[in-house]
Amino acid sequence: MKPVKPVNPMTQPEAAARLRGLYAITPEDPLLPRLSTLVEAALQGGVRLLQYRNKTAPAPLRRAQAAEMLRLCHAHDALLIINDDLPLALELNADGVHLGRDDHGADIAVARAALGPGKILGISCYADPARAAAAAQAGASYVAFGSLYPSPTKPQAPPAPLALLGEARRCGLPVAAIGGITLDNAPATIAAGADMLAVISDLFDAADITARARAYRALFTSFHSQRGSHESQ
């Protein structure tokens, strides 16, 4: 299978401008048709940033799923980020990669050099603002903090205080909040400084995924509209 070419190659500032809103992360579903149905429903609800994440799938399935996610994303003018696997992101010519402390290709500067300037590089910073500052210096596109709330996906993840999001903005990069995000706690999380809300369970376990994605999108629209009104007064 040939790599999928991105619809619109981006400069780094253009990529940063799209790092806002709901950041959907795929559930670990071994069935590609079912995963495609779930993801397409989210994209129809306005998701424009998707992370493909499957820590347990064998390599052939990961590649097949990631390639299909990339096709779906580009059909909906959305971006696909590959979790944990820089070689796979490069092979598929995905829109970017997200790396944790111990992930494959976790050296941030090396990953940026391999990706080039026009791709997205996200870095997990857990509860460590110093890691965010270092990531910014090494060429990251955004930084992620969490778990902000108890997470069904990572129940053992150490907690990160909500106030950390505002501190993290000092690094000059968009900030993603992750871990236990729901529609109920999303407004407080956005107000605390999150540019993106990384969501798995509350989105993909919803009875109506498309409606849930639209509800998250409306939260961001409402928040930024209200902030704009206050700033103009």
Side-chain angles (χ1 to χ4, degrees):
M1 183 183 298
K2 294 181 179 179
V4 180
K5 293 183 179 180
V7 176
N8 295 306
M10 297 171 291
T11 64
Q12 188 69 1
E14 288 171 341
R18 299 185 67 172
L19 298 175
R20 300 290 186 273
L22 176 59
Y23 185 3
I25 301 181
T26 61
E28 295 195 9
D29 195 315
L31 298 179
L32 178 52
R34 185 168 59 197
L35 181 62
S36 297
T37 298
L38 296 175
V39 167
E40 187 144 35
L43 293 168
Q44 289 171 348
V47 165
R48 292 297 174 262
L49 187 66
L50 177 78
Q51 183 184 127
Y52 170 69
R53 180 183 185 276
N54 195 329
K55 297 282 192 179
T56 59
L61 177 59
R62 281 172 54 83
R63 191 187 188 285
Q65 288 187 333
E68 177 63 7
M69 296 305 100
L70 186 59
R71 185 193 69 79
L72 287 172
C73 283
H74 287 176
H76 288 270
D77 191 30
L79 304 176
L80 180 72
I81 310 300
I82 303 293
N83 175 274
D84 181 23
D85 197 333
L86 177 60
L88 180 60
L90 294 172
E91 178 187 354
L92 295 178
N93 202 8
D95 299 298
V97 69
H98 182 95
L99 299 175
R101 188 180 289 116
D102 302 316
D103 287 340
H104 191 183
D107 186 286
I108 301 170
V110 170
R112 169 51 68 202
L115 288 168
K119 300 285 187 175
I120 294 169
L121 175 57
I123 300 298
S124 291
C125 296
Y126 313 101
D128 186 357
R131 179 171 167 82
Q137 290 292 323
S141 305
Y142 71 87
V143 290
F145 285 85
S147 184
L148 272 298
Y149 308 96
S151 170
T153 304
K154 290 186 175 183
Q156 305 303 320
L162 195 60
L164 190 59
L165 298 177
E167 183 179 352
R169 296 182 67 86
R170 298 174 189 170
C171 74
L173 297 179
V175 175
I178 190 167
I181 306 293
T182 67
L183 274 178
D184 290 335
N185 61 39
T189 310
I190 298 169
D195 298 291
M196 296 173 282
L197 299 179
V199 183
I200 306 175
S201 300
D202 194 61
L203 175 63
F204 288 108
D205 289 349
D208 188 333
I209 295 171
T210 299
R212 184 61 55 90
R214 287 174 179 155
Y216 273 101
R217 189 168 185 173
L219 280 179
F220 278 94
T221 300
S222 175
F223 177 81
H224 290 293
S225 176
Q226 291 175 9
R227 187 172 67 177
S229 297
H230 292 155
E231 290 175 350
S232 64
Q233 293 176 356

